[in-house]
Amino acid sequence: MKAVIGLEIHVQMTSLKTKLFCSCPADYRGAPPNTHVCPVCLGLPGALPVVNMEAVKKAIMLALALNCRWVAEKVVFSRKHYFYPDLPKNYQITQFKGGGGMPIAEDGYLELEMGGDVRRVRIRRINIEEDPGRLVYTEGDITSSPEVLIDYNRSGIALLEIVTEPDISSPREARVFLEKLRAIIEYLDIADLDLEGAMRVDANISLPGGSRVEVKNIGSIKEVEKALSYEMVRQKSLLSRGTRVDRETRHWDPVRGVTRPLRVKEEEEDYRYFPDPDLPPIPLPRELVDAAAALLPELPDARMRRFVEDHGLRREIAYALAMDKRLANFYEETLKYYWAPRTTAVMLAVDYLGFLEKNKLRMGEDRLTPKLLAKLVRLVDEEVITPEQGKHLLFRVAREGVDPEEVVEREGLRALRSEDELRTIVRRVVEANPKAVSDAARNPRAVNFLVGRVMKETQGRAEPRLVRRLVVEELRRRGVRVEA
Ligand SMILES: [Zn+2]
């Protein structure tokens, strides 16, 4: 069954130095509560906001990268009224289409490759708005905590709101969309989305015959996929029992892995939007948009195509590199020292990422550098060591920061390529394992066992394929009939 899914994504522009309407530092993480505040972001009467034009420039760059066909001719901010302790002004400064207001951009799209198919997810609009303060519940959540603390350091941080049309048809597609959006945002240097709370997603989902359910405030891309999968199962089971799916807003509980009803959805009218009289519209001449267009870097799709066409990389490998700006930069930096794109790409996209994941590290928290990787790649490429050895050495370099060339010299790790030398070891192993030899004709696993023994004797310095050939030759010489 196909779902109908739309996403609303909030991204903090963490790369800006200051907040959206004042000069308080935007980097509030780790700062003591309520230290990055001023009359503007505390909403004190008489304080006047001033637009951070760097935020506008970044928003336009994102709009262009997301193929928006309409970019506003002026920047208009509207007030969205609601009462909540995280919002001292009692209104949030945002953008709104109507009543004289308008978003920064509309009508874009993002293309995804889904198993050979190209899917297009339309972007309805992009808004610039301010983040409210942060509420901290001292015990449990909003329903159980005896008190709530408010930190206004986050109040007034610049946000981008990106709203899609309901063009997404599965939880997995939602994840692929968000991963690509994330890559583009990082390429444009708008935000570091690894930071806690830098990307928050509201997702709405409905199934044929049901109504639209919104799941609010999901904190990571993986959680979005999980929350939507949970909703699909829940709604499917309601529908199959002939029960109505109510139109409602729900909350995702990542600990228990369930969604729960939240509150009745407010209608847009409740917010009484109107253009903010403190912020007169700022004209956006086309030259300014053209200037932003000229600043666009090579984007993930283009980079992936270049890796495939110019470097001869496999598509999946090129995709894995290009979707991660830092990894792709690392890759290209390594190639400057030694040109072996395919070996380098596989080592990074497969072995190195596997290493980071296994050790729960982020790039930069280990000791691999492009220069050390280039040395390692050269050792493999020139067949001084085998690819298998290269992989193990990569882990050591990443952990200890050792020079791979020195390690190979010092520890005598050069690959064992002499067939004569290997044959001697093969004979020794075959003679020491008569049972495996007699089983070999019937049981291919006995051959694997012998190959494994030889590999062990060589301490992984031999090429497994060559060892296998020599083992089979040796067995046949002894009259054992084995498949090659
Ligand atoms: Zn401030």
Side-chain angles (χ1 to χ4, degrees):
M1 194 188 293
K2 272 199 175 169
V4 177
I5 296 170
L7 301 173
E8 198 177 305
I9 303 113
H10 290 99
V11 170
Q12 284 184 337
M13 300 197 221
T14 63
S15 60
L16 296 183
K17 290 196 174 57
T18 56
K19 293 186 179 181
L20 185 51
F21 298 114
C22 61
S23 57
C24 290
D27 178 19
Y28 67 88
R29 288 177 174 78
N34 300 307
T35 51
H36 290 191
V37 290
C38 72
V40 172
C41 55
L42 283 177
L44 301 185
L48 283 178
V50 177
V51 180
N52 181 341
M53 284 310 284
E54 192 63 18
V56 174
K57 189 179 90 188
K58 292 285 188 193
I60 296 170
M61 286 171 73
L62 181 66
L64 297 172
L66 295 180
N67 310 294
C68 285
R69 276 184 283 250
W70 184 88
V71 176
E73 281 165 5
K74 53 188 176 182
V75 188
V76 185
F77 285 101
S78 297
R79 292 181 176 184
K80 175 185 183 178
H81 297 83
Y82 66 93
F83 172 77
Y84 212 60
D86 61 4
L87 198 73
K89 299 192 294 291
N90 285 345
Y91 61 84
Q92 178 193 25
I93 306 177
T94 179
Q95 294 190 301
F96 180 72
K97 191 177 183 176
M102 62 182 74
I104 191 80
E106 285 184 333
D107 195 13
Y109 64 87
L110 190 57
E111 278 181 339
L112 312 175
E113 274 182 50
M114 297 292 296
D117 260 10
V118 175
R119 303 264 305 142
R120 190 175 271 204
V121 176
R122 288 169 299 157
I123 308 291
R124 186 181 295 167
R125 62 157 191 268
I126 300 174
N127 284 340
I128 308 171
E129 61 184 25
E130 58 174 347
D131 214 354
R134 201 167 65 91
L135 299 182
V136 182
Y137 302 102
T138 50
E139 266 180 64
D141 61 9
I142 188 167
T143 55
S144 60
S145 184
E147 58 197 358
V148 52
L149 306 175
I150 312 173
D151 178 4
Y152 289 115
N153 282 351
R154 200 181 72 182
S155 172
I157 295 284
L159 291 181
L160 285 171
E161 181 188 59
I162 302 127
V163 181
T164 78
E165 296 291 345
D167 290 346
I168 298 167
S169 61
S170 73
R172 195 174 145 254
E173 201 171 301
R175 172 169 59 77
V176 174
F177 171 86
L178 288 170
E179 281 169 354
K180 191 145 194 191
L181 178 65
R182 176 199 169 97
I184 291 172
I185 286 168
E186 296 195 334
Y187 271 66
L188 297 178
D189 200 18
I190 291 173
D192 175 359
L193 295 178
D194 284 340
L195 293 173
E196 166 80 34
M199 185 192 237
R200 295 161 344 234
V201 179
D202 299 339
N204 60 69
I205 171 170
S206 64
L207 296 181
S211 0
R212 209 177 79 133
V213 171
E214 192 178 12
V215 187
K216 281 282 205 194
N217 215 8
I218 315 171
S220 78
I221 295 178
K222 274 185 194 152
E223 296 296 330
V224 170
E225 187 178 20
K226 282 190 206 161
L228 287 171
S229 302
Y230 175 86
E231 266 308 300
M232 258 186 105
V233 172
R234 188 186 70 88
Q235 294 180 24
K236 239 188 242 175
S237 101
L238 284 175
L239 292 169
S240 71
R241 279 181 279 141
T243 316
R244 242 164 26 118
V245 174
D246 287 330
R247 181 171 173 149
E248 63 176 344
T249 303
R250 297 176 74 90
H251 153 79
W252 169 243
D253 179 342
V255 179
R256 294 189 181 78
V258 297
T259 64
R260 271 199 285 257
L262 199 60
R263 57 177 156 81
V264 184
K265 177 137 179 63
E266 291 140 36
E267 296 299 323
E268 301 255 283
E269 291 81 2
D270 291 348
Y271 293 125
R272 294 177 293 123
Y273 287 99
F274 64 77
D276 192 325
D278 288 346
L279 288 159
I282 304 165
L284 263 188
R286 289 306 95 177
E287 303 85 72
L288 219 134
V289 177
D290 294 343
L295 290 174
L296 285 183
E298 182 186 42
L299 291 168
D301 274 347
R303 201 174 199 187
M304 178 186 83
R305 274 195 300 275
R306 180 163 61 80
F307 288 169
V308 170
E309 284 159 19
D310 299 357
H311 296 186
L313 301 190
R314 282 196 355 246
R315 233 180 147 70
E316 313 83 77
I317 298 282
Y319 184 83
L321 288 177
M323 282 301 127
D324 186 333
K325 179 184 167 188
R326 292 180 67 196
L327 192 68
N329 289 349
F330 197 105
Y331 162 74
E332 298 215 59
E333 199 56 37
T334 306
L335 295 186
K336 285 184 196 160
Y337 292 101
Y338 184 75
W339 180 261
R342 281 194 240 183
T343 313
T344 310
V346 170
M347 275 201 164
L348 279 175
V350 181
D351 303 330
Y352 179 56
L353 283 188
F355 167 83
L356 291 178
E357 194 172 315
K358 192 165 164 244
N359 293 283
K360 297 196 168 53
L361 291 172
R362 284 181 58 184
M363 256 187 98
E365 292 175 343
D366 62 297
R367 301 181 65 181
L368 191 68
T369 62
K371 199 171 177 181
L372 290 176
L373 179 62
K375 286 186 176 195
L376 185 56
V377 169
R378 191 186 63 79
L379 289 167
V380 174
D381 207 49
E382 291 179 353
E383 302 191 340
V384 177
I385 58 175
T386 66
E388 190 61 21
Q389 282 180 294
K391 187 170 143 182
H392 288 287
L393 200 46
L394 173 75
F395 299 159
R396 263 183 79 180
V397 175
R399 258 195 309 267
E400 301 162 23
V402 287
D403 183 321
E405 285 169 359
E406 283 171 22
V407 173
V408 167
E409 275 317 308
R410 196 170 60 232
E411 301 180 15
L413 293 181
R414 284 178 175 277
L416 205 52
R417 296 194 187 276
S418 141
E419 291 199 15
D420 285 343
E421 214 177 315
L422 271 174
R423 247 188 221 105
T424 316
I425 300 172
V426 167
R427 267 187 212 134
R428 201 162 64 225
V429 167
V430 163
E431 269 156 30
N433 293 282
K435 171 102 175 40
V437 173
S438 62
D439 286 352
R442 281 168 288 112
N443 187 357
R445 274 155 70 184
V447 179
N448 293 345
F449 170 81
L450 292 168
V451 172
R453 278 290 138 138
V454 176
M455 288 301 293
K456 199 165 172 217
E457 289 262 324
T458 65
Q459 292 170 319
R461 289 160 55 221
E463 195 70 75
R465 248 184 302 174
L466 174 60
V467 171
R468 171 168 295 273
R469 178 164 69 75
L470 296 179
V471 166
V472 168
E473 277 175 21
E474 178 64 22
L475 289 171
R476 283 183 181 155
R477 206 176 61 79
R478 287 160 186 260
V480 184
R481 284 196 224 196
V482 282
E483 307 271 326

